[in-house]
Amino acid sequence: MIPIRLYIDKDVIDYPQAAFIKSRINLPAIIVEDVSQVYKQILSSPDPVQAGKETLFLTKNMGAFIRDCPGTTYYKCCGYKILHIGTFCIMDCSYCILQSYFHPPILQFFVNHRDMMAELDLTLSEKKINRIGTGEFTDSMIWELWTDLSTALVSRFSTQTGSVLELKTKTTAVGNLKNLQHNQKTIIAWSLNTEKIIYSEERNTSRLSARLKAAQKCESWGYPLAFHFDPMFIYDGCEDDYKQVVKQLFSHVSPENIVWISLGTFRFMPSLKPVIQQRFPDSKIVYGEFIPGIDGKMRYFKPLRIALYKKMVRWIRDIAPDVVIYFCMEDDEVWDKSLNFIPSEPDGISDMLDKSAKKHCNLKL
Amino acid sequence: MLFKQEKTAIEKINLEDTRFRITTRKDIEDLADSIKKTGLINPPILLKKNSFFSIICGFRRINACISLGLSHIDARIVDTDSVADCIRLAITDNTFQRPLNLVEQSRSISILLTCTEEKDLEQIAGLEKIAGQLGLPSSLLIIKKIEKISHLSEKIQNHIIAGIISLPIALELEKLTFDESDIFTDIFAGLKPGLNRQKELITLIKEIAFKSDTTIKDVLQDKSVEEILMDEDKDRKEKQKALRLYLKQKRFPTIFKAESRLAEKIKFLKIGAGIKLVCPENFEGNTFVLNLFFKNFEELKIRKVSMDKMVNNPATKEIFSI
């Protein structure tokens, strides 16, 4: 899926990035005085989520570029930082929280890169390890078609030694990374799932084998890698399928080059359920055994989560005993029963991931 | 609009033509009594077509007159060729006399919509204004919802009129087939659950069907469901409870099993009066709560003994491992 409409905020029309993207995207640009014009067009569509994916809006990030990952109350968080480059995605995953996170959701790219780089300079000058990712409110690599963002970011991170950039994706758009000087300060990460889930729930994304081949390429270019089994889904036969994915993963890349693997099962705000039911009427993902979690999100019943995690951990450990595995937003009991330890408060997970980043990415403070 | 009042032969009135009928009431006894005592005070309004008449307003009055054996009645004959005018007349004659029930409102909107070719309500210019002028709800959102009622089966419409089914439930049922929605209606009519319970039952059944690749009809006609509904030893409240439990077990088998196991274990502990063990809701948190209730020091000592017993009972440990 590619955007079919291009809107440009009148305040950024002279920004070099806006001109660059406009020249690459080959769409007539509509200049808008006010973002409400774009919202109006999207909201008047019968499927605003779809319309949001088809409408690229180039604008300025008026807020902070670097933010703490929001996390949630009660569950353990890893202390990640988000580099807020833009919002939404051209791929269409049924479970994507962004469908109900933004009102309305819109494919938005921030072109005030000078501000972004200035903020990044400040953060990178801190005497601490920062794990910074662009894949929280969007996919990190979908922008490769029209922008040179990754090139700029990889190059910027390569010149420092205290922090790592994680580019998280479901695409295979890694070509631009090939000849970059990265100094191992950029981790290329993929979200992985079973073939069945990719086929039925992750519209317009790359197949599993394609993602793993892209990972293999990045490994050959010297990049450290990471993988996220998140969200995992519980369905009949899911265990065999996930086991197969783990096997496939390690038949493509070496455990030594993996900085971390995260595990997380599907969780969603209740408001997402009707969106999925309407936009993906054949999807069964919301009909699992969910309970309301302490943070208000619906989660699989805890014993079911633990059962799947335990197996995943075992399958991964069988092949890669030393690889760092962590959970995204789980509690002490899940950690204890699945990984046989509870990270210490308040920075246990953070320290564990920092240590791995230090080792794999040669960080020096 | 001009009217001509004239004596009209009832046999010339086409009773089959119900295009303009808004009222859902069919009873005529009270009306017939009144006409018998005081005569027809408010003459029906008719539309003349060739030598026959269609009823615009006064369906019940005309039926009452027929039941009284009258051959002619006073009627007002409308002088128009416009069906749209007749529709507006039929609606206002009802809305400005009495509050319409949901089915009547829906009929009014549906009839009104026959005046336009446009099927998308949002595209009909001035619909909200026209509806408001005719005494109907003037919000497009409400109009869209109410209009759907006219697509439901007569059985469901009757239950809406009787107050057994509310608008939100009617809208849920509208998404189903006639067969499916009729079965739900029978269940609701029999068990009379409240709105939230009705919603819960619809959701559970729909999700069980979808999850297990069967139809809603299959779930509803499942032997266990039928047994619960036909159980003569249970009153409607007990049947509601049993049905809900059965459906929850089908929809959330692992959760149901764990909850049942926990309840059994707690029962087995025989904690005693004045102590309540509260487990983490949905097994999600890690914190258990023990509530002690006592009125004086003596009672507190008794609770302590019960609590010590509980702590020393090996079965207590098992609660933490469910």
Side-chain angles (χ1 to χ4, degrees), chain B residues 190-202:
Chain B
L191 303 186
K192 296 193 176 58
L195 172 65
N196 287 342
R197 278 280 180 272
Q198 289 186 15
K199 268 188 186 168
E200 187 188 21
L201 289 175
I202 293 175

Side-chain angles (χ1 to χ4, degrees), chain A residues 88-121:
Chain A
F88 217 30
C89 187
I90 51 173
M91 294 177 280
D92 199 8
C93 298
S94 61
Y95 53 78
C96 179
I97 184 63
L98 300 178
Q99 294 173 99
S100 63
Y101 192 84
F102 299 114
H103 301 281
I106 173 171
L107 190 64
Q108 197 171 216
F109 189 73
F110 304 129
V111 294
N112 49 331
H113 282 183
R114 195 182 290 176
D115 298 337
M116 179 181 75
M117 287 301 186
E119 215 178 306
L120 199 53
D121 287 346

Side-chain angles (χ1 to χ4, degrees), chain A residues 75 273 284 289 302 305, chain B residues 207 210 213 254-255 284:
Chain A
Y75 301 99
K273 186 174 175 178
K284 291 187 178 179
E289 290 199 59
K302 200 193 265 183
R305 306 203 301 268
Chain B
E207 293 189 356
F210 196 66
D213 284 323
T254 319
I255 299 175
E284 188 59 22

Side-chain angles (χ1 to χ4, degrees), chain B residues 203-305:
Chain B
T203 305
L204 282 170
I205 290 167
K206 272 168 81 172
E207 293 189 356
I208 291 167
F210 196 66
K211 203 177 153 186
S212 52
D213 284 323
T214 53
T215 64
I216 288 173
K217 212 172 156 187
D218 288 337
V219 179
L220 289 168
Q221 290 179 340
D222 175 280
K223 211 175 152 207
S224 305
V225 172
E226 280 181 350
E227 273 170 15
I228 293 168
L229 296 175
M230 306 300 274
D231 189 344
E232 289 177 358
D233 296 330
K234 286 192 173 79
D235 65 20
R236 65 177 183 87
K237 287 267 178 202
E238 289 169 324
K239 284 182 188 175
Q240 267 184 45
K241 196 177 163 191
L243 179 61
R244 193 169 160 255
L245 269 182
Y246 173 74
L247 294 172
K248 281 190 92 170
Q249 186 180 356
K250 291 270 275 189
R251 172 67 182 84
F252 303 101
T254 319
I255 299 175
F256 188 86
K257 229 191 234 168
E259 281 174 347
S260 308
R261 217 165 46 228
L262 178 67
E264 231 169 70
K265 297 255 183 221
I266 292 176
K267 202 174 157 190
F268 181 71
L269 284 180
K270 292 189 182 132
I271 297 172
I275 301 185
K276 196 178 164 199
L277 174 64
V278 184
C279 299
E281 203 178 347
N282 298 310
F283 298 80
E284 188 59 22
N286 295 328
T287 309
F288 292 72
V289 178
L290 204 57
N291 290 326
L292 298 183
F293 304 89
F294 50 90
K295 292 192 191 83
N296 48 47
F297 187 64
E298 288 313 307
E299 272 194 8
L300 176 60
K301 282 202 285 188
I302 297 169
R303 301 289 176 264
K304 186 187 176 293
V305 174

Side-chain angles (χ1 to χ4, degrees), chain A residues 76 190 192 227-232 242 246 249 260-267 299 305-317 323-331 334-335 338-339 352-353:
Chain A
K76 284 186 175 297
W190 275 267
L192 299 181
F227 297 94
H228 301 278
F229 287 88
D230 192 359
M232 288 194 289
Y242 280 111
V246 172
L249 164 62
W260 48 65
I261 293 178
S262 78
L263 304 179
T265 47
F266 179 42
R267 53 210 176 273
R299 293 165 170 265
R305 306 203 301 268
I306 292 173
L308 181 58
Y309 288 147
K310 273 169 105 165
K311 287 182 179 152
M312 282 295 284
V313 169
R314 201 178 69 223
W315 297 325
I316 295 169
R317 288 266 182 266
V323 80
V324 169
I325 302 173
Y326 73 99
F327 295 116
C328 184
M329 307 316 294
E330 284 294 1
D331 69 6
V334 172
W335 277 84
S338 315
L339 273 168
M352 181 176 88
L353 299 181

Side-chain angles (χ1 to χ4, degrees), chain B residues 14-169:
Chain B
N14 180 3
L15 300 172
E16 304 292 310
D17 183 358
T18 55
R19 271 179 299 165
F20 305 115
R21 186 180 179 109
I22 306 287
T23 183
T24 51
R25 283 184 67 180
K26 290 195 175 138
D27 59 300
I28 50 168
E29 290 75 20
D30 57 340
L31 205 50
D33 262 3
S34 160
I35 293 170
K36 196 174 173 186
K37 280 179 198 149
T38 51
L40 190 57
I41 300 165
N42 189 13
I45 301 174
L46 306 178
L47 171 70
K48 191 169 185 179
K49 195 173 181 195
N50 303 324
S51 53
F52 283 88
F53 297 91
S54 294
I55 307 169
I56 298 173
C57 318
F59 285 87
R60 287 176 67 231
R61 277 168 278 167
I62 289 168
N63 280 330
C65 290
I66 292 169
S67 76
L68 292 170
L70 302 180
S71 62
H72 286 76
I73 57 165
D74 279 331
R76 293 201 292 163
I77 315 301
V78 68
D79 184 19
T80 182
D81 290 328
S82 161
V83 173
D85 283 348
C86 297
I87 287 170
R88 280 194 279 269
L89 192 57
I91 295 171
T92 45
D93 184 68
N94 280 278
T95 54
F96 291 111
Q97 274 188 51
R98 63 192 172 86
L100 303 191
N101 65 39
L102 277 174
V103 175
E104 290 170 335
Q105 288 181 37
S106 183
R107 274 187 197 174
S108 303
I109 292 165
S110 292
I111 298 172
L112 190 60
L113 294 177
T114 60
C115 300
T116 168
E117 297 278 298
E118 180 59 61
K119 294 283 170 250
D120 182 355
L121 269 58
E122 287 190 20
Q123 301 304 319
I124 301 174
L127 177 62
E128 288 174 316
K129 194 176 169 195
I130 295 166
Q133 284 168 346
L134 297 177
L136 295 170
S138 57
S139 140
L140 184 61
L141 193 70
I142 306 284
I143 292 173
K144 279 165 84 175
K145 285 181 177 175
I146 291 178
E147 191 270 334
K148 289 181 175 163
I149 291 176
S150 60
H151 305 302
L152 291 165
S153 71
E154 199 181 336
K155 188 193 249 180
I156 300 178
Q157 292 192 11
N158 288 337
H159 285 307
I160 294 171
I161 296 165
I164 293 167
I165 289 175
S166 60
L167 179 60
I169 297 298

